[in-house]
Amino acid sequence: MKKPSIPQGTRDFGPDVVRKRQYLLGVIKTVFELYGFQPLETPAMENLETLMGKYGEEGDKLIFRILNNGLDHPDKKEGAREAFEKVLAGQNSTAITERALKYDLTIPFARYVAMNHGKLSFPFRRYQVQPVWRADRPQRGRYREFYQCDADVVGSHSLVNELEFVHIYKEVFNRLKIDGATIQLNHRRILTALAQLAGSPEKLVDITIAIDKLDKIGLEKVKEELSGRGLSTTQLETISNYLAITGSNEEKIATLKELFRGSEEGEKGIADLEWILGMLENKNQVNIDLTLARGLNYYTGVIFEARAPEQVKIGSIGGGGRYDDLTGLFGVPGVPGVGISFGIDRIYDVMEELQLFPAEAEQGTRILFLNLGEKESAEAFRLLQTVRNNRISAEIYPENIKLDKQFKYAEKRSIPYVAILGSKELENRQVVIKNIVTGEQETVAFDSMASLNLK
Amino acid sequence: MKKPSIPQGTRDFGPDVVRKRQYLLGVIKTVFELYGFQPLETPAMENLETLMGKYGEEGDKLIFRILNNGLDHPDKKEGAREAFEKVLAGQNSTAITERALKYDLTIPFARYVAMNHGKLSFPFRRYQVQPVWRADRPQRGRYREFYQCDADVVGSHSLVNELEFVHIYKEVFNRLKIDGATIQLNHRRILTALAQLAGSPEKLVDITIAIDKLDKIGLEKVKEELSGRGLSTTQLETISNYLAITGSNEEKIATLKELFRGSEEGEKGIADLEWILGMLENKNQVNIDLTLARGLNYYTGVIFEARAPEQVKIGSIGGGGRYDDLTGLFGVPGVPGVGISFGIDRIYDVMEELQLFPAEAEQGTRILFLNLGEKESAEAFRLLQTVRNNRISAEIYPENIKLDKQFKYAEKRSIPYVAILGSKELENRQVVIKNIVTGEQETVAFDSMASLNLK
């Protein structure tokens, strides 16, 4: 028999990992709720036409499609040959696939808002933590099935929302104790102003895409790429000068004001960033990062990126921005919004590396009642319920096997305490509670088990 | 533009529904943890060969298959024609599909245990709450994407595990306040003994399947079905007599002992049920239900069913049983186990019908700060953080629009309190806190907002 396996790029999450992930997601959800965001869940399956054409040509290819039912048993389904012929002829592939697995949380959210437009109260703030699927080539840290964790406000133009997201990032990293995580801010209009200043407003997308790679490929390669896109040496110099702006947030703002004086786009972008800085108690809670571009074309205003502390070399652990029109694609125009996401897998890695998961996050069973015989275990079973009534997670070893095996089970499961109830203890109506880590033990009367207190 | 929609048989869960589902699942998970069960999550996608042949011929047809990537763009993938031809010729369909969505939680669990056999500590207790997919015809209460919620102990023969599951059902229904939910017990060996008593041990499966339908189709139809399967009138009489056994649990046990005297299978089954009854503080916590059969063939010992209170007419809200061999299918024989499931969707319906969701389960934002201008809202924003630091879920209306619209937003969102901070309040350094349900209001000084207490 072949050894069983799981598809490439997918993962099983065993108990320890699930607990730590639940802790991490629990903190994030608690903060979202505190900030008035509401939970939403959409199906894993969407109609293929809902997803197609939303992620660019490359994205379309990475959508996992679900085979229409019956087609793998063509003898049972009339028309299978015609369906396959259609596809081979390059015609509509809905003959074989009409449904797909969701590729991100944004398009299903847009679809939901468009479908429920009349019923929702705007501004509508939702958060969503669900798996998505991409037929990407699996590699270290890139999966075909992974969770996204998004929060968006739609139906509001106000910068208050951007300000709230800065606070949400701060509060989550604070609660998770990820010191040194930073929040970078930039503005799409500043990039627009840059393209105008360079004299090539039509090259905005090329410039954005190239700058977005700065971190990974360095300035020289960015310039090479832009040169390949037809930008002149003078234009490249304008862009280099912009990318070289340094200093404190205030200094950057001052330099930008000089650079983009008289540019409507530039001045609006600068004013937005300045307003946000002005509303923060500490202006160093964020970094104005002029090299931040965020590749996605739909951003139109403030853009965000959250970065892991320098020492862990993990880079981005979240990002987002403002967009003009979420639901226009689905026939409901005029719904602007702003949203952020948390990169759950990376934040998990940061927390592992910095050993930030609290012991409670990994905590399962606290005490194991050993099984020392029929009569003894019947009494132990009764006391087990008593202990659980006190909210202590507890088990009884189900079989009366050798003691060392039962102890070994407790050790392997990292259960810190065992309760020993043998014939002598049964007679004295007491239990020996032993901490198997420290070796300490105490004797507790049956009647006191209801108030058993494990450190 | 076509109105957007979701695939038939799938659902969006809006904020209120997600919150109530989270409450329900939270209670169940808390109880699982209290009983020493550990969380497990497996991928949505499994290798098709992991799933095929595990659910019978009908089940196989209901598995959602994922199209191998690239096949819907055959121009980009060599061999697409050959792949389709293979399928049309009735050959291996892995040419077009190698992955599938999971159909239940049991087979992926078995696959996980087989894959990780050397690393796990047995008995291994896991719980798992995840969606599964079935290409069933959608109808009221039957979905193509729905959650299952399972707990199993594997690697133990002990009846203590069955006893634990009785307590888990009780404790969950108790915490959810579903009074009148019942737990039915029977034993596969009693059914085996019945088939033997009727003189047709080889008809066990037919008898089990027919009895399983008793609730839905009634005794006459069950007899018709069995008669169609070749059972004689005498045999049907034996079965009818068995199904007609009534009385208290003790009376049923006594009658069974008479009926199956000398039958090894029967006596073992009766002894198991008797042991469980003996270990319960109150023997009426469960009902011995001799008509309970549970259609699944792999059950070999005690079988369970949880039923909704009579008045809601919903029937089964959970079930399970003991099986001999979980992982033999995956090359690891000798792993017996016992498990139960909770029917989440039905339990949700029961709780809705009986209005059992507590108000907290639906609670979102508690207080909305109205936006009354630039200076006022800047101060409101600061106080908003103060209130959140006190763990109160709070929002500020992001735009300075007409007051009645802001009030309307609070009402539609069911936010019970609004905080009013206009120019007068700003001057006096105080906020008016108004309960928009009762109309009551009080004035709170800025300095006291950190200890704001909303009932």
Side-chain angles (χ1 to χ4, degrees), chain A residues 70-76 80-81 84, chain B residues 82-96:
Chain A
L71 284 182
D72 64 315
H73 294 295
D75 51 312
K76 289 176 195 104
R81 175 167 291 277
F84 290 145
Chain B
E82 292 95 299
F84 289 147
E85 288 297 343
K86 264 192 189 170
V87 176
L88 288 169
Q91 290 176 40
N92 199 339
S93 67
T94 58
I96 61 164

mmCIF file of all heavy atoms in Angstrom, chain A residues 70-76 80-81 84, chain B residues 82-96:
data_model
loop_
_atom_site.group_PDB
_atom_site.id
_atom_site.type_symbol
_atom_site.label_atom_id
_atom_site.label_comp_id
_atom_site.label_asym_id
_atom_site.label_seq_id
_atom_site.Cartn_x
_atom_site.Cartn_y
_atom_site.Cartn_z
ATOM 1 N N GLY A 70 -19.666 14.696 -12.261
ATOM 2 C CA GLY A 70 -20.036 13.680 -13.226
ATOM 3 C C GLY A 70 -19.054 13.570 -14.376
ATOM 4 O O GLY A 70 -19.001 12.557 -15.060
ATOM 5 N N LEU A 71 -18.243 14.601 -14.600
ATOM 6 C CA LEU A 71 -17.388 14.600 -15.790
ATOM 7 C C LEU A 71 -16.224 13.627 -15.700
ATOM 8 O O LEU A 71 -15.621 13.290 -16.707
ATOM 9 C CB LEU A 71 -16.867 16.003 -16.080
ATOM 10 C CG LEU A 71 -17.896 16.941 -16.706
ATOM 11 C CD1 LEU A 71 -17.270 18.283 -16.985
ATOM 12 C CD2 LEU A 71 -18.453 16.347 -17.994
ATOM 13 N N ASP A 72 -15.894 13.196 -14.489
ATOM 14 C CA ASP A 72 -14.830 12.204 -14.426
ATOM 15 C C ASP A 72 -15.393 10.799 -14.660
ATOM 16 O O ASP A 72 -14.657 9.843 -14.754
ATOM 17 C CB ASP A 72 -14.118 12.278 -13.088
ATOM 18 C CG ASP A 72 -15.071 11.920 -11.992
ATOM 19 O OD1 ASP A 72 -16.202 12.432 -12.025
ATOM 20 O OD2 ASP A 72 -14.713 11.125 -11.116
ATOM 21 N N HIS A 73 -16.725 10.718 -14.714
ATOM 22 C CA HIS A 73 -17.388 9.466 -15.091
ATOM 23 C C HIS A 73 -18.216 9.752 -16.333
ATOM 24 O O HIS A 73 -19.444 9.817 -16.253
ATOM 25 C CB HIS A 73 -18.350 8.997 -13.985
ATOM 26 C CG HIS A 73 -17.677 8.613 -12.721
ATOM 27 N ND1 HIS A 73 -16.829 7.542 -12.616
ATOM 28 C CD2 HIS A 73 -17.728 9.154 -11.494
ATOM 29 C CE1 HIS A 73 -16.396 7.432 -11.376
ATOM 30 N NE2 HIS A 73 -16.920 8.405 -10.671
ATOM 31 N N PRO A 74 -17.569 9.981 -17.465
ATOM 32 C CA PRO A 74 -18.325 10.472 -18.632
ATOM 33 C C PRO A 74 -19.406 9.500 -19.087
ATOM 34 O O PRO A 74 -20.390 9.919 -19.685
ATOM 35 C CB PRO A 74 -17.247 10.648 -19.711
ATOM 36 C CG PRO A 74 -16.069 9.887 -19.228
ATOM 37 C CD PRO A 74 -16.149 9.812 -17.748
ATOM 38 N N ASP A 75 -19.226 8.225 -18.779
ATOM 39 C CA ASP A 75 -20.261 7.266 -19.170
ATOM 40 C C ASP A 75 -21.577 7.592 -18.489
ATOM 41 O O ASP A 75 -22.645 7.221 -18.956
ATOM 42 C CB ASP A 75 -19.818 5.845 -18.800
ATOM 43 C CG ASP A 75 -19.372 5.756 -17.345
ATOM 44 O OD1 ASP A 75 -18.571 6.623 -16.922
ATOM 45 O OD2 ASP A 75 -19.847 4.859 -16.631
ATOM 46 N N LYS A 76 -21.492 8.282 -17.336
ATOM 47 C CA LYS A 76 -22.714 8.576 -16.583
ATOM 48 C C LYS A 76 -23.274 9.945 -16.918
ATOM 49 O O LYS A 76 -24.267 10.373 -16.363
ATOM 50 C CB LYS A 76 -22.439 8.458 -15.095
ATOM 51 C CG LYS A 76 -22.243 7.002 -14.690
ATOM 52 C CD LYS A 76 -21.875 6.840 -13.258
ATOM 53 C CE LYS A 76 -21.345 5.432 -13.013
ATOM 54 N NZ LYS A 76 -19.894 5.351 -12.859
ATOM 55 N N ALA A 80 -20.396 14.759 -22.103
ATOM 56 C CA ALA A 80 -19.035 14.950 -21.612
ATOM 57 C C ALA A 80 -18.077 15.191 -22.781
ATOM 58 O O ALA A 80 -17.238 16.082 -22.724
ATOM 59 C CB ALA A 80 -18.583 13.741 -20.800
ATOM 60 N N ARG A 81 -18.266 14.402 -23.857
ATOM 61 C CA ARG A 81 -17.365 14.592 -25.003
ATOM 62 C C ARG A 81 -17.497 15.995 -25.572
ATOM 63 O O ARG A 81 -16.496 16.681 -25.795
ATOM 64 C CB ARG A 81 -17.637 13.539 -26.097
ATOM 65 C CG ARG A 81 -16.803 13.755 -27.371
ATOM 66 C CD ARG A 81 -16.825 12.553 -28.312
ATOM 67 N NE ARG A 81 -16.121 11.402 -27.768
ATOM 68 C CZ ARG A 81 -14.796 11.229 -27.840
ATOM 69 N NH1 ARG A 81 -14.037 12.160 -28.388
ATOM 70 N NH2 ARG A 81 -14.241 10.146 -27.349
ATOM 71 N N PHE A 84 -15.687 18.435 -23.324
ATOM 72 C CA PHE A 84 -14.237 18.427 -23.475
ATOM 73 C C PHE A 84 -13.821 19.025 -24.816
ATOM 74 O O PHE A 84 -12.837 19.750 -24.897
ATOM 75 C CB PHE A 84 -13.691 17.001 -23.327
ATOM 76 C CG PHE A 84 -13.788 16.468 -21.925
ATOM 77 C CD1 PHE A 84 -14.057 15.134 -21.676
ATOM 78 C CD2 PHE A 84 -13.598 17.320 -20.830
ATOM 79 C CE1 PHE A 84 -14.136 14.642 -20.388
ATOM 80 C CE2 PHE A 84 -13.684 16.834 -19.526
ATOM 81 C CZ PHE A 84 -13.959 15.499 -19.308
ATOM 82 N N GLU B 82 -5.061 14.223 -24.850
ATOM 83 C CA GLU B 82 -4.860 12.850 -24.374
ATOM 84 C C GLU B 82 -5.542 12.644 -23.013
ATOM 85 O O GLU B 82 -6.150 11.617 -22.768
ATOM 86 C CB GLU B 82 -3.377 12.512 -24.224
ATOM 87 C CG GLU B 82 -2.609 12.431 -25.532
ATOM 88 C CD GLU B 82 -1.917 13.740 -25.878
ATOM 89 O OE1 GLU B 82 -2.647 14.778 -26.041
ATOM 90 O OE2 GLU B 82 -0.695 13.768 -25.963
ATOM 91 N N ALA B 83 -5.411 13.642 -22.156
ATOM 92 C CA ALA B 83 -6.010 13.525 -20.825
ATOM 93 C C ALA B 83 -7.516 13.334 -20.941
ATOM 94 O O ALA B 83 -8.088 12.416 -20.347
ATOM 95 C CB ALA B 83 -5.692 14.771 -20.001
ATOM 96 N N PHE B 84 -8.142 14.190 -21.764
ATOM 97 C CA PHE B 84 -9.598 14.105 -21.895
ATOM 98 C C PHE B 84 -10.004 12.785 -22.551
ATOM 99 O O PHE B 84 -10.987 12.160 -22.179
ATOM 100 C CB PHE B 84 -10.135 15.294 -22.698
ATOM 101 C CG PHE B 84 -10.051 16.599 -21.943
ATOM 102 C CD1 PHE B 84 -9.819 17.792 -22.608
ATOM 103 C CD2 PHE B 84 -10.215 16.645 -20.562
ATOM 104 C CE1 PHE B 84 -9.751 19.000 -21.920
ATOM 105 C CE2 PHE B 84 -10.137 17.844 -19.864
ATOM 106 C CZ PHE B 84 -9.907 19.022 -20.555
ATOM 107 N N GLU B 85 -9.208 12.368 -23.555
ATOM 108 C CA GLU B 85 -9.527 11.107 -24.230
ATOM 109 C C GLU B 85 -9.487 9.936 -23.245
ATOM 110 O O GLU B 85 -10.322 9.045 -23.281
ATOM 111 C CB GLU B 85 -8.552 10.834 -25.391
ATOM 112 C CG GLU B 85 -8.758 11.728 -26.609
ATOM 113 C CD GLU B 85 -10.124 11.545 -27.273
ATOM 114 O OE1 GLU B 85 -10.814 10.540 -27.027
ATOM 115 O OE2 GLU B 85 -10.520 12.451 -28.049
ATOM 116 N N LYS B 86 -8.481 9.961 -22.374
ATOM 117 C CA LYS B 86 -8.366 8.912 -21.367
ATOM 118 C C LYS B 86 -9.631 8.837 -20.525
ATOM 119 O O LYS B 86 -10.166 7.761 -20.248
ATOM 120 C CB LYS B 86 -7.199 9.218 -20.422
ATOM 121 C CG LYS B 86 -5.903 8.523 -20.778
ATOM 122 C CD LYS B 86 -4.945 8.678 -19.604
ATOM 123 C CE LYS B 86 -3.554 8.206 -19.965
ATOM 124 N NZ LYS B 86 -2.581 8.560 -18.935
ATOM 125 N N VAL B 87 -10.081 10.009 -20.088
ATOM 126 C CA VAL B 87 -11.270 10.041 -19.244
ATOM 127 C C VAL B 87 -12.473 9.542 -20.026
ATOM 128 O O VAL B 87 -13.261 8.740 -19.525
ATOM 129 C CB VAL B 87 -11.525 11.474 -18.717
ATOM 130 C CG1 VAL B 87 -12.811 11.506 -17.924
ATOM 131 C CG2 VAL B 87 -10.351 11.916 -17.857
ATOM 132 N N LEU B 88 -12.588 9.981 -21.292
ATOM 133 C CA LEU B 88 -13.732 9.569 -22.102
ATOM 134 C C LEU B 88 -13.699 8.066 -22.367
ATOM 135 O O LEU B 88 -14.735 7.433 -22.502
ATOM 136 C CB LEU B 88 -13.751 10.342 -23.428
ATOM 137 C CG LEU B 88 -14.146 11.819 -23.260
ATOM 138 C CD1 LEU B 88 -13.884 12.587 -24.545
ATOM 139 C CD2 LEU B 88 -15.612 11.948 -22.852
ATOM 140 N N ALA B 89 -12.503 7.509 -22.401
ATOM 141 C CA ALA B 89 -12.376 6.067 -22.604
ATOM 142 C C ALA B 89 -12.591 5.305 -21.304
ATOM 143 O O ALA B 89 -12.449 4.096 -21.257
ATOM 144 C CB ALA B 89 -11.005 5.753 -23.184
ATOM 145 N N GLY B 90 -12.930 6.050 -20.232
ATOM 146 C CA GLY B 90 -13.219 5.390 -18.966
ATOM 147 C C GLY B 90 -11.968 5.005 -18.199
ATOM 148 O O GLY B 90 -12.034 4.272 -17.220
ATOM 149 N N GLN B 91 -10.811 5.497 -18.666
ATOM 150 C CA GLN B 91 -9.575 5.200 -17.939
ATOM 151 C C GLN B 91 -9.393 6.153 -16.767
ATOM 152 O O GLN B 91 -10.234 6.991 -16.486
ATOM 153 C CB GLN B 91 -8.371 5.323 -18.878
ATOM 154 C CG GLN B 91 -8.305 4.221 -19.929
ATOM 155 C CD GLN B 91 -7.146 4.472 -20.875
ATOM 156 O OE1 GLN B 91 -6.074 4.881 -20.464
ATOM 157 N NE2 GLN B 91 -7.382 4.241 -22.157
ATOM 158 N N ASN B 92 -8.219 6.017 -16.184
ATOM 159 C CA ASN B 92 -7.878 6.794 -15.001
ATOM 160 C C ASN B 92 -8.165 8.288 -15.173
ATOM 161 O O ASN B 92 -7.635 8.939 -16.068
ATOM 162 C CB ASN B 92 -6.384 6.589 -14.741
ATOM 163 C CG ASN B 92 -6.054 6.959 -13.326
ATOM 164 O OD1 ASN B 92 -6.798 7.706 -12.700
ATOM 165 N ND2 ASN B 92 -4.954 6.440 -12.837
ATOM 166 N N SER B 93 -8.978 8.814 -14.292
ATOM 167 C CA SER B 93 -9.322 10.220 -14.418
ATOM 168 C C SER B 93 -8.287 11.127 -13.774
ATOM 169 O O SER B 93 -8.429 12.334 -13.799
ATOM 170 C CB SER B 93 -10.697 10.476 -13.799
ATOM 171 O OG SER B 93 -10.641 10.281 -12.413
ATOM 172 N N THR B 94 -7.223 10.549 -13.167
ATOM 173 C CA THR B 94 -6.202 11.423 -12.565
ATOM 174 C C THR B 94 -5.521 12.277 -13.623
ATOM 175 O O THR B 94 -4.849 13.241 -13.287
ATOM 176 C CB THR B 94 -5.117 10.627 -11.818
ATOM 177 O OG1 THR B 94 -4.511 9.719 -12.720
ATOM 178 C CG2 THR B 94 -5.697 9.878 -10.628
ATOM 179 N N ALA B 95 -5.691 11.920 -14.897
ATOM 180 C CA ALA B 95 -5.140 12.777 -15.939
ATOM 181 C C ALA B 95 -5.756 14.164 -15.899
ATOM 182 O O ALA B 95 -5.114 15.145 -16.283
ATOM 183 C CB ALA B 95 -5.381 12.145 -17.311
ATOM 184 N N ILE B 96 -6.982 14.250 -15.445
ATOM 185 C CA ILE B 96 -7.584 15.588 -15.338
ATOM 186 C C ILE B 96 -7.825 16.033 -13.903
ATOM 187 O O ILE B 96 -7.977 17.213 -13.637
ATOM 188 C CB ILE B 96 -8.894 15.726 -16.153
ATOM 189 C CG1 ILE B 96 -9.957 14.753 -15.662
ATOM 190 C CG2 ILE B 96 -8.642 15.547 -17.635
ATOM 191 C CD1 ILE B 96 -11.347 15.119 -16.154
#
